[in-house]
């Protein structure tokens, strides 16, 4: 543990925590856009600025990329220099994407005049180039379907050669982490479309309720990941195999099942519960219930 | 040529080359740097070679294709060296007085300027075979009209101290032999001779006071020391030759004119910090530099100056070329390392420390030095740190190479001691402002530097004094402006460069730069308001404090310095809707001075917009609606009858 002083208050945080985490855990409000708990910070939005050391010589840094390594770090989260730069950066982003809800909300809570700067370019633009989609695709999904292209004001997130990316599995993680809603996903006629990347992938349907589940590529990719972890094949596949089960079966062991059915997660859960319920009580695997009770 | 396996063999090879060269009593050195090549130097060199073979002079006379001499304004340059004027070859490796031919005191041969292929025969007949001088090709001072015979006397060279550039005129960059004759690899030999452990090498660099020439000005000795102290087996040495400032070409000239000098510096650095591998990161836009470095590497490997067990010692070092992808920001350390690793060249947000000296290329300690820094190393080792420290000011030692460009008589590369005043540099070395106009400002440090006004002309050029004045040393750009330059327009030009080269990763640099540029556009168009000045300051403050890397932090410098020293000019753009320098087109109009006009009709022909109408022997009439304010009429008028207001 190392000691850190935030806005005059002393705290102890684990070594290596970023200044942002340290401040947030202790209740300080620092706005962020490009930061996401699950992703490597890149420090590009420049809203999470804090001042180090304070005083005239204080250095303004992005708190999401600055680790607390040594005792005695002094941080100011709302010094005049920080507020000036933070507000201006927010104005700059608003001048880029005036219509984005999360920017408008931030502007409202940080007292930023959203008309301070003229809008340059496209009013419809929604991408603030935070790069969360790029990072989630690479770091969490393990694909690199999209990346930053061009430079400066022309910078954009695009798939290679602006073509439908071969790497895209249609998992929509990019849409999930996007803070502005710039990644648009639609599902029509059995296909999933992710608009900015021109992704167009077939969906599969639940054999039981006939609702669309996910893309075939996504489920295959999940299957691959499961195999890498050493779990038995089929553990994550949203399919369910019907048939007589061995008395000691857990209800989800695929080895003992004969026919394969492709099910959505909800139908699969229902089938599992039903099959367990059909067994005599002493043969039911109730360990998960015990585990659940223990957790509570 | 076979591999050299010991210091003795290097020494023997050097003697061999010198002996073989003795037969030749004269040499014709043709500058084939990028500047002179563009003015046709390659044809001149080919013509000399043809004539020499034709006349059977090959035994006595040598044509030498050299790198840039610096005086690009007067290219193609030809220097005729007579046997007598050639400095003594150094005969001993360990002779600390061994001086490269042409180093420091400058070349002493006959200097011919703006030579054309058809002049080759005359030069050969008059100056090489006889002792005559071809008068009409000598350098003539544009102000006094005085002619100068040798390079030493030309004022452009006379005020310089060419510690690094001096080699260029005497060495054929494609021949390692030339570098060896000039005392090359003497520093390496000294280091490997056994008397200098790595600690001593670093100490010598520390004594020399050498500071990073890429612009940062970090003491080179401490950087090497930091890198050496990091634990671990693997270390890298990287030479940063990603010189992207507009109008800057000193790194290019050194790599093109004397690649072995940089290579020797790198090998010594590798010895000092304990590295086995190195990279030279060269811009892909420098094809000649890439070619010369590749040739130099090939020769160095062949001769055993690179590779395993260099000169029979324990030192092993390999160097690879990494070609830049054409992004200005890759000159920034972390972006450069990303680029070498094969990733997008974007700066890293990592807080520093740790610096690349502890966590760099692929996570290993990496020493990154600029071309000029590494080029200064061999001589510091040969002549001692104290020798280097004897030049310059208290905090900045040695010499700095500036690219002198813009409205100045002698444009080109100048190498002057640190601490020289701007006035000396611009008026003595640069020969003043052409056309008798008045000096207005000078932009130092490239597009991220600052504009300094005439009041600052006595400012000595060193790292600290320049940053106090709001500018930077940068990589040594020096753009001189006269009274016909509009400072708002200049600030806008430099900012547009950085906005164009911004990688776009962080908000303040990407969006802030764009907003600032839009605001400056308003000034140029006369549509700015009082609040515009405040907004410029605020945007600049945000960019300076919160940008991710130095590119964004320094980008507002030209705007801030012009605002600091030329605020009146900004004000007159929106208060009086007038551009005092007569540059910003929306704010100017042309009129014809009927008194001065002689009705010669030249302007009528020049006007492409059809705004000028008139008949013979009458003052033409100007239609304001049609006039595009291109200034073509003004350029052709011989009587200054076209006025701008």
């Amino acid at each position: 543990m190392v000691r850190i002083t935030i806005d005059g208050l002393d705290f102890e945080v684990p070594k290596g925590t970023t200044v942002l985490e340290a401040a947030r855990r202790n209740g300080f409000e620092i706005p962020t856009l490009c930061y996401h708990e699950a992703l490597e910070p890149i420090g590009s939005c420049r809203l999470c600025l804090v001042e180090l050391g304070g005083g005239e010589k204080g250095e303004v840094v992005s708190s999401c990329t600055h680790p607390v390594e040594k005792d005695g770090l002094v941080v100011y989260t709302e010094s005049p220099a920080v507020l000036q730069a933070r507000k201006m950066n927010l104005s700059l982003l608003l001048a880029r994407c005036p219509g984005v809800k999360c920017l408008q909300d931030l502007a409202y809570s940080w007292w930023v005049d959203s008309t301070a700067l003229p809008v340059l370019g496209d009013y419809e633009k929604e991408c603030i180039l935070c790069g969360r989609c790029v990072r989630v695709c690479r770091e969490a999904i393990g694909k690199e379907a999209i990346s930053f292209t061009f430079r400066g004001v022309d910078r954009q997130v695009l798939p290679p050669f602006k073509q439908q990316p071969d790497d895209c599995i249609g998992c929509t993680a990019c849409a999930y982490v996007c803070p502005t809603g710039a990644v648009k996903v639609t599902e029509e006629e059995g296909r999933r479309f992710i608009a900015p990347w021109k992704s167009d992938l077939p969906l599969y349907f639940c054999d039981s309720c006939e609702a669309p589940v996910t893309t075939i590529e996504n489920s295959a990719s999940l299957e691959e990941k499961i195999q890498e972890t050493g779990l038995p094949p089929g553990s994550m596949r949203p399919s369910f195999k019907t048939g007589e089960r061995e008395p000691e079966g857990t209800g989800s062991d695929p080895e003992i099942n004969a026919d394969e059915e492709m099910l959505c997660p909800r139908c699969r859960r229902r089938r599992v519960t039903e099959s367990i319920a059909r067994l005599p009580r002493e043969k039911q695997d109730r360990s998960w219930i015990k585990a659940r009770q223990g957790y509570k | 040529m076979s591999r050299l396996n010991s210091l003795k063999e290097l020494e023997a090879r050097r003697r061999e080359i010198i002996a073989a060269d003795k037969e030749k009593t004269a040499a014709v050195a043709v500058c084939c740097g990028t500047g002179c090549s563009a003015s046709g130097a390659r044809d001149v060199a080919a013509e000399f070679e043809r004539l020499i073979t034709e006349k059977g002079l090959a035994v006595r006379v040598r044509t030498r294709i050299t790198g840039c001499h610096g005086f690009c304004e007067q290219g193609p340059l030809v220097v005729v060296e007579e046997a007598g004027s050639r400095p003594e070859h150094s005969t001993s490796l360990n002779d600390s007085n061994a001086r490269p031919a042409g180093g420091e005191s400058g070349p002493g041969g006959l200097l011919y300027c703006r030579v054309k292929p058809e002049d080759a025969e005359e030069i050969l007949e008059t100056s090489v075979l006889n002792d005559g001088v071809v008068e009409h090709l000598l350098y003539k001072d544009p102000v006094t009209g005085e002619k100068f015979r040798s390079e030493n006397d030309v004022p452009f060279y006379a005020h310089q101290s060419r510690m690094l550039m001096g080699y260029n005129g005497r060495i054929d960059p494609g021949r390692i032999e030339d570098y060896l004759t000039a005392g090359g690899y003497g520093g390496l030999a000294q280091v490997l001779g056994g008397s200098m452990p790595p600690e001593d090498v670093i100490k010598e660099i520390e004594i020399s006071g050498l500071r990073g020439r890429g612009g940062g000005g970090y003491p080179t000795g401490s950087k090497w020391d930091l890198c050496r102290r990091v634990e671990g087996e693997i270390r890298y040495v990287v030479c940063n030759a990603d010189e992207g400032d507009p109008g800057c070409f000193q790194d290019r000239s050194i790599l093109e004119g004397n690649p072995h000098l940089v290579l020797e510096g790198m090998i010594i650095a590798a010895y000092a910090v304990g590295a086995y591998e190195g990279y030279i990161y060269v811009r892909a836009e420098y094809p000649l530099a890439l070619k010369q470095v590749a040739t130099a590497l090939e020769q160095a490997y062949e001769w055993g100056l690179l590779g395993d067990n260099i000169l029979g010692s324990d030192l092993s070092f390999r160097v690879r070329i990494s070609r830049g992808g054409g992004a200005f920001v890759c000159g920034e350390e972390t972006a450069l390392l990303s680029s070498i690793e094969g990733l997008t060249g974007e700066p890293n947000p990592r807080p520093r420390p740790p610096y690349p000296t502890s966590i760099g290329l692929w996570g290993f300690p990496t020493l990154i030095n600029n071309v000029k820094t590494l080029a200064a190393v061999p001589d510091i080792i040969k002549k001692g740190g104290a020798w280097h420290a004897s030049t310059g000011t208290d905090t900045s030692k040695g010499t700095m190479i500036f690219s002198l460009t813009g409205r100045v008589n002698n444009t080109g590369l100048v190498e002057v001691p640190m601490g020289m005043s701007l006035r000396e540099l611009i008026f003595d070395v640069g020969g003043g402002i052409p056309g008798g106009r008045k000096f207005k400002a000078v932009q130092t440090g490239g597009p991220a530097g600052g504009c300094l006004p005439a009041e600052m002309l006595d400012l000595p050029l060193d790292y600290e004094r320049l940053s106090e004045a709001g500018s930077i040393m940068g990589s040594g750009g020096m753009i001189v402006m006269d009274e016909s330059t509009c400072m708002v327009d200049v600030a806008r030009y430099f900012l547009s460069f950085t906005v164009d080269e911004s990688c776009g990763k962080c908000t303040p640099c990407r969006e802030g730069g764009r907003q600032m540029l839009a605001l400056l556009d308003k000034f140029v168009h006369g549509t700015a308001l009082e609040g515009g000045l405040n907004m410029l300051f605020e945007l600049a403050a945000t960019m300076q404090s919160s940008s991710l890397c130095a590119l964004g932090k320094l980008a507002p410098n030209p705007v801030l310095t012009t605002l600091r020293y030329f605020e009146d000019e900004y004000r007159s753009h929106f208060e009086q809707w007038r551009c005092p320098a007569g540059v910003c087109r929306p704010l100017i109009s042309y009129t014809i001075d009927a008194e001065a006009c002689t009705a010669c009709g030249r302007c009528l022909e020049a006007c492409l917009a059809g705004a000028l109408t008139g008949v013979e022997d009458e003052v033409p009439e100007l239609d304001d609606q049609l006039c595009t304010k291109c200034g073509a009429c003004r350029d052709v008028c011989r009587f200054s009858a076209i006025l701008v207001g």
Side-chain angles (χ1 to χ4, degrees):
Chain A
M1 298 291 268
V2 283
R3 276 183 293 113
I4 176 173
T5 310
I6 306 175
D7 290 349
L9 298 170
D10 292 337
F11 299 98
E12 281 212 334
V13 293
K15 195 180 170 187
T17 328
T18 62
V19 172
L20 178 69
E21 284 163 7
R24 280 197 171 166
R25 267 179 219 174
N26 290 300
F28 293 92
E29 195 184 343
I30 296 177
T32 54
L33 284 171
C34 67
Y35 173 80
H36 191 281
E37 296 85 339
L39 305 172
E40 275 291 306
I42 59 166
S44 77
C45 72
R46 313 309 279 178
L47 290 192
C48 68
L49 300 169
V50 293
E51 193 169 335
L52 298 183
E56 291 253 53
K57 284 161 104 184
E59 193 191 350
V60 176
V61 299
S62 51
S63 61
C64 67
T65 56
H66 202 94
V68 189
E69 297 285 5
K70 274 186 289 191
D71 270 339
L73 188 67
V74 179
V75 171
Y76 296 93
T77 62
E78 289 187 23
S79 72
V82 166
L83 284 182
Q84 191 273 337
R86 184 182 291 164
K87 286 179 162 187
M88 181 55 88
N89 284 335
L90 195 50
S91 302
L92 287 167
L93 285 173
L94 266 166
R96 175 190 171 86
C97 310
V100 168
K101 177 78 168 55
C102 74
L103 291 180
Q104 291 165 349
D105 291 349
L106 275 174
Y108 183 78
S109 52
W110 287 93
W111 296 76
V112 170
D113 177 6
S114 55
T115 57
L117 291 166
V119 176
L120 299 176
D122 193 354
Y123 277 82
E124 303 297 309
K125 195 175 264 173
E126 285 182 299
C127 177
I128 56 165
L129 298 172
C130 66
R132 282 199 200 179
C133 50
V134 176
R135 283 175 288 154
V136 82
C137 190
R138 185 176 60 228
E139 293 168 19
I141 309 301
K143 304 280 174 189
E144 285 189 63
I146 45 172
S147 177
F148 284 115
T149 53
F150 305 106
R151 72 175 180 221
V153 287
D154 300 324
R155 190 171 165 101
Q156 285 173 63
V157 178
L158 284 174
F161 307 108
K162 301 188 190 176
Q163 303 294 313
Q164 175 176 354
D166 291 343
D167 265 16
C168 181
I169 55 171
C171 65
T172 67
C174 45
Y176 179 74
V177 294
C178 179
T180 66
V183 183
K184 304 241 180 317
V185 182
T186 46
E187 284 173 6
E188 256 174 49
E189 295 171 5
R191 298 188 81 79
R192 177 178 284 174
F193 304 94
I194 306 176
W197 332 134
K198 294 186 183 164
S199 282
D200 172 1
L201 294 158
L203 292 165
Y204 75 79
F205 295 85
C206 176
D207 284 344
S208 169
C209 68
E210 294 184 356
V213 186
T214 184
T215 57
I216 296 165
E217 281 83 355
N218 190 20
S219 90
S221 153
L222 287 171
E223 182 67 21
E224 263 173 44
K225 270 191 192 163
I226 286 304
Q227 279 174 13
E228 279 166 23
T229 62
L231 285 167
S235 308
M236 272 295 272
R237 193 168 48 203
S239 64
F240 184 76
K241 293 165 185 175
T242 50
E244 238 359 84
R245 161 174 317 281
E246 304 251 332
E248 62 271 26
T250 59
S252 60
D253 185 359
E255 295 300 308
I256 52 164
N257 299 313
D259 306 320
E260 195 168 318
E261 237 185 325
M262 294 289 264
L263 295 179
C264 67
R266 181 180 291 182
C267 293
R268 186 174 182 229
R269 260 198 308 276
R270 202 188 63 233
R271 284 285 175 85
V272 172
T273 339
E274 280 169 8
S275 69
I276 294 174
R278 271 204 301 273
L279 292 172
R281 192 179 171 83
E282 63 275 13
K283 286 188 180 172
Q284 286 175 7
D285 178 6
R286 299 181 69 82
S287 56
W288 60 276
I289 297 175
K290 280 176 203 150
R292 184 96 189 227
Q293 279 162 349
Y295 179 76
K296 272 181 178 170
Chain B
M1 276 290 178
S2 62
R3 203 182 145 82
L4 301 166
N5 289 317
S6 67
L7 295 176
K8 273 193 185 140
E9 283 182 44
L10 176 72
E11 176 66 47
R13 179 74 53 85
R14 193 196 306 267
R15 283 172 200 279
E16 229 173 81
I17 298 163
I18 294 172
D21 242 18
K22 265 196 181 137
E23 297 295 310
K24 311 209 172 182
T25 51
V28 179
V30 185
C31 169
C32 282
T34 300
C36 286
S37 290
S39 351
R42 301 248 160 216
D43 295 339
V44 177
E47 181 66 11
F48 269 112
E49 257 165 30
R50 191 185 67 82
L51 285 169
I52 287 169
T53 340
E54 202 178 280
K55 293 176 190 275
L57 296 169
V59 199
R60 287 173 49 204
V61 185
R62 249 189 77 181
T63 350
R64 183 183 291 146
I65 293 173
T66 73
C68 181
H69 297 208
F71 207 5
C72 309
E73 169 86 31
Q74 297 290 330
L77 301 171
V78 170
V79 176
V80 179
E81 301 160 17
E82 292 150 81
S85 73
R86 291 175 77 180
E88 287 296 309
H89 294 311
S90 61
T91 44
S92 166
L93 275 180
N94 297 325
D95 178 6
S96 59
N97 294 321
R99 197 167 52 77
E104 281 174 78
S105 67
L110 275 170
L111 170 73
Y112 292 125
C113 305
R114 301 199 168 144
V115 179
K116 292 181 196 69
E118 51 270 29
D119 298 326
E121 185 151 14
E122 196 181 349
I123 293 176
L124 212 56
E125 290 292 338
T126 325
S127 300
V128 180
L129 301 176
N130 297 297
D131 286 338
V133 175
V134 186
E135 286 284 337
H136 69 100
L137 290 173
L138 289 178
Y139 171 70
K140 204 172 102 187
D141 192 291
V143 184
T144 59
E146 193 186 342
K147 284 187 174 179
F148 297 93
R149 244 181 87 103
S150 92
E151 264 188 300
N152 280 351
D153 307 332
V154 175
F156 177 75
Y157 290 111
H159 290 92
Q160 299 188 39
S161 61
R162 295 159 62 83
M163 277 155 63
L164 306 177
M165 292 286 292
Y167 289 93
N168 271 21
R170 288 290 177 268
I171 284 173
D172 182 341
R175 278 169 48 94
I176 189 172
E177 292 89 344
D178 276 16
Y179 184 60
L180 223 58
T181 351
Y185 287 107
L188 179 66
Q190 200 167 331
V191 161
L192 296 179
S195 57
M196 262 186 129
E199 290 79 12
D200 283 11
V201 175
I202 292 175
K203 198 153 194 197
E204 208 59 49
I205 301 289
E206 269 170 5
I207 292 170
S208 77
L210 181 65
R211 293 174 66 175
R213 293 284 189 259
Y218 191 80
T220 308
S222 353
K223 202 183 213 176
W224 289 23
D225 195 39
L226 278 177
C227 188
R228 181 173 175 76
R229 279 169 194 276
V230 182
E231 283 179 21
E233 285 285 296
I234 300 170
R235 286 188 190 81
Y236 293 100
V237 173
V238 174
C239 170
N240 183 349
D242 189 64
E243 179 185 48
D245 287 2
C248 265
F249 51 109
Q250 37 290 67
D251 293 356
R252 173 185 207 159
S253 287
I254 293 177
L255 281 181
E256 286 177 2
N258 196 359
H260 284 287
L261 184 67
V262 182
L263 215 52
E264 188 183 348
M266 275 183 89
I267 303 170
I268 295 172
Y271 172 79
V273 302
Y276 297 101
E277 255 185 280
Y279 285 88
I280 303 186
Y281 189 87
V282 193
R283 297 180 77 191
E285 291 91 333
Y286 285 178
L288 185 58
L290 274 164
K291 191 186 131 209
Q292 302 292 24
V293 173
T295 317
L297 283 181
E298 209 175 286
Q299 289 167 344
Y301 276 116
E302 201 181 314
W303 285 41
L305 294 160
L306 278 179
D308 294 333
N309 302 89
I310 293 169
L311 293 175
S313 69
D314 292 338
L315 177 66
S316 299
F317 186 55
R318 307 187 161 272
V319 176
R320 270 176 232 170
I321 299 177
S322 184
R323 266 171 41 140
F328 178 67
V329 77
C330 285
E332 200 271 344
E333 287 184 334
T334 53
L336 185 145
L337 294 179
S338 297
S339 179
I340 294 181
E341 288 172 14
L343 306 170
T344 318
E346 275 171 10
N348 245 320
R350 219 172 39 200
R352 291 189 249 173
Y355 291 97
T357 40
S358 34
I359 298 176
L361 198 58
W362 290 299
F364 296 107
T366 305
L367 178 73
I368 308 174
N369 275 144
N370 179 263
V371 171
K372 284 160 290 194
T373 318
L374 289 167
V377 168
D379 273 359
I380 291 175
I381 299 298
K382 266 188 280 189
K383 301 173 198 173
W387 163 80
H388 186 264
S390 65
T391 325
T393 65
D394 286 349
T395 51
S396 313
K397 305 289 186 194
T399 60
M400 179 71 193
I401 309 177
F402 291 100
S403 302
L404 203 54
T405 50
R407 301 291 168 88
V408 62
N409 274 318
N410 302 335
T411 57
L413 286 185
V414 297
E415 184 175 354
V416 295
M418 291 276 187
M420 184 183 250
S421 74
L422 275 168
R423 191 185 299 279
E424 280 174 88
L425 184 70
I426 294 164
F427 290 93
D428 295 345
V429 181
I433 316 294
R437 291 192 216 217
K438 238 177 87 197
F439 169 86
K440 185 169 187 180
V442 58
Q443 167 93 4
T444 68
C451 267
L452 303 176
E455 300 93 88
M456 312 283 282
L457 267 176
D458 290 313
L459 188 84
L461 289 162
D462 78 6
Y463 291 99
E464 276 71 26
R465 301 301 293 276
L466 276 171
S467 56
E468 276 166 29
S471 185
I472 53 166
M473 178 77 80
S475 58
M478 183 80 44
I479 301 167
V480 182
M481 291 161 253
D482 66 11
E483 54 197 344
S484 67
T485 320
C486 167
M487 299 320 285
V488 183
D489 187 57
V490 160
R492 193 180 149 276
Y493 166 74
F494 286 120
L495 190 71
S496 73
F497 176 83
T498 30
V499 167
D500 210 36
E501 290 292 345
S502 158
C503 75
K505 186 171 184 172
C506 70
T507 311
C509 179
R510 182 187 66 227
E511 305 294 335
R514 171 157 76 154
Q515 288 284 353
M516 231 168 159
L517 200 57
L519 209 50
L520 285 176
D521 269 338
K522 283 191 179 175
F523 278 95
V524 168
H525 285 92
T527 53
L529 300 169
E530 176 75 40
L533 283 179
N534 266 336
M535 191 48 97
L536 276 183
F537 278 119
E538 262 194 62
L539 283 166
T542 308
M543 285 177 80
Q544 277 185 327
S545 70
S546 67
S547 287
L548 192 60
C549 77
L551 181 106
K553 284 186 199 288
L554 297 176
N557 271 352
V559 180
L560 284 176
T561 46
T562 46
L563 271 171
R564 182 162 151 193
Y565 300 118
F566 301 95
E567 196 188 322
D568 288 351
E569 223 172 302
Y570 277 84
R571 290 198 165 273
S572 71
H573 274 76
F574 66 88
E575 282 174 356
Q576 296 147 17
W577 298 291
R578 99 171 238 283
C579 174
V583 174
C584 303
R585 285 192 197 180
L587 300 179
I588 55 168
S589 61
Y590 287 95
T591 43
I592 295 170
D593 183 355
E595 299 275 299
C597 181
T598 59
C600 65
R602 275 167 76 93
C603 53
L604 292 178
E605 283 168 32
C607 184
L608 295 174
L612 283 166
T613 44
V615 287
E616 220 169 303
D617 297 332
E618 251 178 59
V619 177
E621 278 187 21
L622 193 134
D623 185 344
D624 251 358
Q625 299 293 313
L626 290 174
C627 178
T628 59
K629 289 148 193 168
C630 65
C633 51
R634 195 170 172 229
D635 291 342
V636 296
C637 184
R638 286 174 294 186
F639 310 98
S640 308
I642 299 190
L643 307 174
V644 191

